[in-house]
Amino acid sequence: PAPLARLREGLPPGLEGILRRCLAKAPHGRFASAGELRDELARLRDEVLSGSFTTTPERPAHAGPSRPDRRWLLAAAGAILLVAAGLLLWPRHAPEPPASARAGGPSPSPTVRRLTDLGAQASFPSLSPDGQRLAYAANPAGRWDIFTMRVEGSVPVNLTEDSGVDDTHPAFAPEGERIAFRSERAGGGLFVMGATGESPRRVSEAGYHPAWSPDGTRLAYCTESVLNPMVRVSTSELWVVNVVTGETVRLSAGDAVQPRWSPDGTFLTYWARSATGQRDIFVLPAAGGEPVAITDDAHLDWSPLWSADGRSLYFNSDRGGTMNIWSVLMDPSTGRATGPPRPLTSGTTSTGHLAASADGSRLAYVAQESRSALWGVRLDASRRVPSAAGPGFSIIQSADALNHPDPSPDGRRVACTLAGEDQNIMVVEVEGGRRRMLTDDGHSDRGPAWSPDGSRLAFYSNRSGSLEIWTIEADGSGLRQVTAMPGANLVFPVWAPGGEEVAASEVGGPVRIFRPAPDPVTAPDRTLPAFEQEGRYFLATAWSPDGGRLAGQVMDIKSPFSQGLAVFDLASGGYEVVRPAGASPRWLADGFRLIYHEGDAVRVLDTRSGQDEPLPLPPLAGLYGVSLSRDKQTLVAFLYELRSNIWLLEGAS
C-alpha cells in the first residue's frame, strides 16, 4: 500500500509501523496476539495524548496548507484501540471515564478475563455486591451444582455437593450474605442459603431465575428455566415472593423470563417470547401496570440487566450478527428507552446470562462455544434388533446448530434446521455433504419433514405472523402456506404414510390433523384429545406405517425435555405411555417397534411386549435426536456439544 502519510497528514509515525505489521504477508512479521496489538496501540495513544510525537511532513499533493487536527488524531487512535479491543470482547463504546481521568489522571482501559475453565458447562453467574465473589452453576459431573469462588482466585467451592439433585440459578442478596437459588430437592422450588452454603430453606414451591429486590426482602422469579434462549416451551409467568412471609404476588400472566429489578426497585426488566417466536426486552412497573417494550424487532434479545445508576439496560442480542452484549440508554423515571441499542462487545463467541457488581465496575457473563454434527449409519432392519450394516459416517459439521434432521425417503439426503443468525431449512446430500439452502430470507423456518414421495418438505414458520405449517419443493421452489390457524401455533408437521394428511402439534396443546389443500386450511379435520396428565401434552413425531397410530413425546409445559414416550391410537382415541423416558421415537417397518434415544444411547422398544434393548452402535456423545428414513435403512443422529465458561469484564462503568 501507499505510505500512510500520503493519505492523511499529521499522523504519528508509529501508526504506519503498526498497520504494516498488521498487513505483513509472513505470519512471523505480524503481531503474535490481539493483546500485543492492544499494547502497541495503547503506547501510541499515550504519545498522542501527551503530544510527544513528531508528525510526518508528507501530505497529499492536492491538500492545502493545514495543521494537524489533534481531535482527529485522538479519535483515530481511540477508534483503532476499540477495534483491537473488539478482538478481545472489549467494550466498543467507551464509558464515561472516572473522576480521576476527567481531572487529568490516567483512565484505565477495560479488561476481560476468563474466570472458569471447565470442559463442561458453567452458567447463571452472580457477582457479590462488592464484586469480589462469583456464584455460578456448573455440571462437571453431569449434575448441576452451585459453586462460589473468589474473583481473584481460581479454586471453586461446591456449596450443594450433598443435595443429590440439580441446583441452579444462584443470586447473591444485596448485602452479600445470602444466596437465593433454584433446587429440585423436596419437589423443587426457590431456596435461600447462607453465602457459604449453610442452612438452605425453601421460600417458594415454584420459580426459576430469582432476582432480589434492592432492599433484600423479595424475590422476583419466572416459571420457566432458560439456558438457551432458542429453547422455550411454555408461557412463563412473572411472580414476586416475600422471603420472610412467603406471600406471593403474580405480576404478569403473559410471557416473562429472567427478571431483574431496577436499582431503586421501581421497575422490573425481563424478556419475553411472542406468538411468532420473537424475543424482546420489556420493562414493567414493580407495583403493577402495563409493560413497555424496549426492543421490538426480529433480532433475538434476551438476558437484560440494569446498570448501577439505572440509566442503561444491558442485554444480549444477535443484532450484530453474533450474540454479544448491547446496551440502551434509559430514563430511570419512566422506564423507557431514550436511544437506540448500541454494541458493548464484539466477538464471535456467543454470550449470555449477564450479572454485575453493585457499582457496575465488574460485569460477568457466559461465553458459549458449540459444535453440532449430523452423523449417519446404514441399518440392517431385518433383524429383531436392527444392527449397523457398516461403519457410521459424518454427514456435516457446523458451529451452528443443525436441529431436527429428517432423511429423505431414499436416505440420500437429509433436511434439517440450520440455526444461525436466522433459522432456515437446509438439505444436505449424505454422500459428499453438498448443501442447499431451501429458505434463507430472514424468517424463522424449522422442523422440516419429507413428504412420503420425497418431492417436497413440510415445516413450520412464523412467515404469516403466527406459527403455521408451510411446504416447499425439494429444489427450493413452490413455497406455500398450508395452514392459516392464527393462535394455534402449530409445530413439527408429520406426514401420514400416503401423504394425504399431516399432523402438527400445537405448542402446549393438542395435535391437529388436516388435509393439505390448494388454499391454506383454516380448521383441522380432526383434533386429538388433550393428554391425560395435567400440565403435559403430546408432541407427535412419527406416523405408523399403517396410518393407525401416532408416536410421540410426552412434554411438560414447563420443561423443554421429553417426559417419556406415548402412542395415540386413532381408532380408539386413547393414549398409551409406552416408556417413562426417551425422545425422538420413530417407527420401524413392522409398526410395533420404535427406535428412540435416551441419553447418548439409541434403543429399540417393542410396544407390544415392552421389551427394550440398546441398538448396537458406538457411543454417540452429545446425542440430541435421531431420525429414520422412510425405507428404514438410514438412521441420522443429531450430535451437539456445548461448552461454556464465565468471563469478567472490568472497567465498563
Side-chain angles (χ1 to χ4, degrees), residues 4-5 8-16 18 40-58 67-77:
L4 194 61
R8 173 77 69 171
E9 68 171 317
L11 296 180
L15 180 58
E16 180 155 6
I18 290 174
E40 283 297 300
L41 289 168
R43 180 190 58 77
L44 179 63
R45 179 197 58 190
D46 292 341
E47 291 182 1
V48 172
L49 290 171
S50 65
S52 60
F53 69 90
T54 303
T55 60
T56 54
E58 299 181 73
R67 59 188 299 271
D69 188 339
R70 181 177 177 82
R71 291 173 300 174
W72 186 90
L73 293 174
L74 290 171

Side-chain angles (χ1 to χ4, degrees), residues 228-251:
N228 181 339
M230 292 307 301
V231 180
R232 292 291 314 280
V233 297
S234 69
T235 298
S236 174
E237 297 179 347
L238 181 61
W239 290 74
V240 172
V241 59
N242 187 302
V243 297
V244 177
T245 67
E247 179 186 3
T248 58
V249 177
R250 186 173 69 177
L251 291 186

Side-chain angles (χ1 to χ4, degrees), residues 7 33 71 120 176 197 226 266 285 295 308 322 408 420 423 462 484 566 571 594 617:
L7 306 177
S33 67
R71 291 173 300 174
V226 176
T266 303
T295 65
T322 55
S408 60
Q423 297 190 82
N462 64 355
L594 289 169
L617 295 175

Side-chain angles (χ1 to χ4, degrees), residues 143-146 158-168 181-193 197-202 204-205:
R143 189 192 74 207
W144 287 92
D145 281 308
I146 293 174
N158 190 338
L159 302 186
T160 59
E161 186 174 9
D162 298 331
S163 76
V165 296
D166 285 341
D167 298 296
T168 53
F181 64 102
R182 166 73 189 193
S183 179
E184 303 310 315
R185 66 188 75 186
L190 294 182
F191 290 73
V192 172
M193 62 181 172
E198 70 277 8
S199 306
R201 66 181 182 89
R202 179 158 42 196
S204 170
E205 294 183 352

